[in-house]
Amino acid sequence: MKEIFEAIKKSAIRIRYAIENDDTGYSQNQNTTGDVQLKLDIKSDLIIEEELSQIASVKELASEEKEHIEKIHEDGKYLIGYDPLDGSSLVDVNLSVGSIFGIYEDDYSGKNLKASVYVVYGPRVELVIGYDGEVQLYRLDSNDKFNFIQVINLNQKGKLNSPGGTQNCWHPHHKKLIEDIFLDGYRLRYSGGMVPDLHQILLKGGGLFSYPATSDNEKGKLRMTFEVFPFAQIFELAGGEAIDGERRLLDLTPLHIHDTTPCFFGSNEEIKKVKSAYVN
Ligand code: AFP
């Protein structure tokens, strides 16, 4: 596992360099959901593939940017699902973006997720690892070394609300939930990049990030394997919770690698509110 974390650190340094120096324009290609890929999406994907495929324990790689799973080492132990550059459409307006990794064994189900990592490319580069019972924050220094900063723990209740999805497509019970949370004094924090939005909630002690089922997309937008399960694990290890409205996210199994799910990540008090709004 340690070798995988080191390979992710190497890719993060190379991706940070590409973000700072490369063309932020579009390529001619589309990904599996029909989005036109940015040149940076393709480059980040390539960097991660190059670094992770050198690790003998990596059996397969599943990228958000590719339709099919890639076999790497037949005798490997780990299956890695990753989103190479989440929120990449924010690079051209110079907002923070991120990479997300889920390290699985046997299959890409929530219960077989063994470790999760994300990287935030912001004013500083930070890397968060959820593994072995805790969540650790590292920061990149000017010598390209990631230094341990702290263990992340959520409070019982936070102050931030990050509500995703187009509001005119929210279901009435969801609209009421979000309104009630604001009436309770929570402040709006939503950049359109789940990595910096969830990172902010984790580091500021708590709150709620939601990407619900909507009238135009009953299964939500965010993908289980690459985005949702890794953050669900990190929120649980930090003392929070992650549910799809009713069920624990890590109890879900995607039928297809690119399947999406509604998702709510938060500290305990906010998830209690979600459950009472969603469970009849
Ligand atoms: P992009 O990678 O296409 O920019 O999407 C980012 C993202 O997957 C996730 O990081 C955000 O939380 C979410 O989409 C934002 O979606 P909305 O624009 O629908 O709020």
Side-chain angles (χ1 to χ4, degrees):
M1 190 63 84
K2 213 157 172 257
E3 290 170 327
I4 295 176
F5 296 154
E6 290 309 311
I8 291 174
K9 288 177 186 170
K10 283 190 195 157
S11 2
I13 292 165
R14 292 177 61 191
I15 292 171
R16 190 272 299 263
Y17 187 83
I19 293 170
E20 286 177 1
N21 296 288
D22 284 17
D23 180 356
T24 61
Y26 286 96
S27 69
Q28 310 286 354
N29 310 348
Q30 288 189 349
N31 69 10
T32 49
T33 30
D35 305 323
V36 182
Q37 289 174 302
L38 288 166
K39 290 180 193 164
L40 273 173
D41 285 322
I42 298 171
K43 174 112 174 226
S44 306
D45 192 17
L46 204 74
I47 289 173
I48 291 170
E49 191 189 313
E50 275 174 15
E51 295 294 344
L52 287 177
S53 57
Q54 293 175 38
I55 310 299
S57 61
V58 174
K59 186 179 177 127
E60 287 180 10
L61 292 176
S63 167
E64 197 249 5
E65 294 298 332
K66 294 200 192 84
E67 182 163 6
H68 301 292
I69 292 168
E70 270 183 275
K71 307 273 179 214
I72 305 294
H73 301 289
E74 212 181 314
D75 299 335
K77 182 173 178 191
Y78 297 112
L79 321 176
I80 305 187
Y82 64 97
D83 185 348
L85 199 60
D86 185 78
S88 54
S89 60
L90 300 171
V91 172
D92 60 355
V93 291
N94 205 14
L95 284 175
S96 300
V97 292
S99 303
I100 314 167
F101 302 83
I103 300 145
Y104 300 84
E105 256 180 63
D106 301 328
D107 65 20
Y108 296 88
S109 60
K111 70 173 187 320
N112 283 327
L113 180 61
K114 301 299 165 196
S116 301
V117 180
Y118 69 84
V119 184
V120 195
Y121 311 98
R124 297 189 285 207
V125 176
E126 293 189 330
L127 180 138
V128 172
I129 299 179
Y131 181 58
D132 211 11
E134 67 180 12
V135 180
Q136 298 187 335
L137 169 69
Y138 294 82
R139 188 174 298 142
L140 188 65
D141 69 17
S142 54
N143 297 314
D144 280 351
K145 183 170 181 287
F146 279 96
N147 300 302
F148 172 73
I149 305 294
Q150 67 175 89
V151 168
I152 300 178
N153 285 306
L154 285 160
N155 298 332
Q156 275 290 109
K157 182 179 188 303
K159 293 179 181 152
L160 308 180
N161 190 15
S162 303
T166 312
Q167 296 195 21
N168 61 6
C169 297
W170 286 352
H171 293 301
H173 61 287
H174 184 74
K175 192 171 188 316
K176 184 170 181 322
L177 165 71
I178 298 300
E179 280 168 3
D180 286 349
I181 290 176
F182 281 127
L183 287 173
D184 208 13
Y186 284 72
R187 278 170 288 143
L188 174 65
R189 293 289 184 270
Y190 193 78
S191 72
M194 75 181 298
V195 176
D197 289 339
L198 285 164
H199 191 57
Q200 180 165 202
I201 290 175
L202 284 162
L203 288 181
K204 300 240 187 237
L208 180 69
F209 176 99
S210 47
Y211 208 106
T214 51
S215 56
D216 59 341
N217 207 342
E218 288 299 338
K219 293 205 161 145
K221 174 182 182 187
L222 301 177
R223 293 169 176 86
M224 293 187 216
T225 308
F226 319 112
E227 297 167 312
V228 171
F229 290 160
F231 272 110
Q233 184 176 53
I234 285 172
F235 267 70
E236 287 196 359
L237 289 175
E241 291 177 66
I243 62 171
D244 70 350
E246 297 169 19
R247 292 166 300 178
R248 187 175 166 249
L249 287 165
L250 290 176
D251 286 338
L252 305 181
T253 301
L255 288 177
H256 184 271
I257 196 78
H258 288 277
D259 282 354
T260 61
T261 177
C263 52
F264 299 83
F265 306 91
S267 24
N268 306 125
E269 282 300 315
E270 291 80 29
I271 296 294
K272 223 185 267 171
K273 290 179 203 281
V274 177
K275 285 180 185 158
S276 61
Y278 270 79
V279 182
N280 298 320

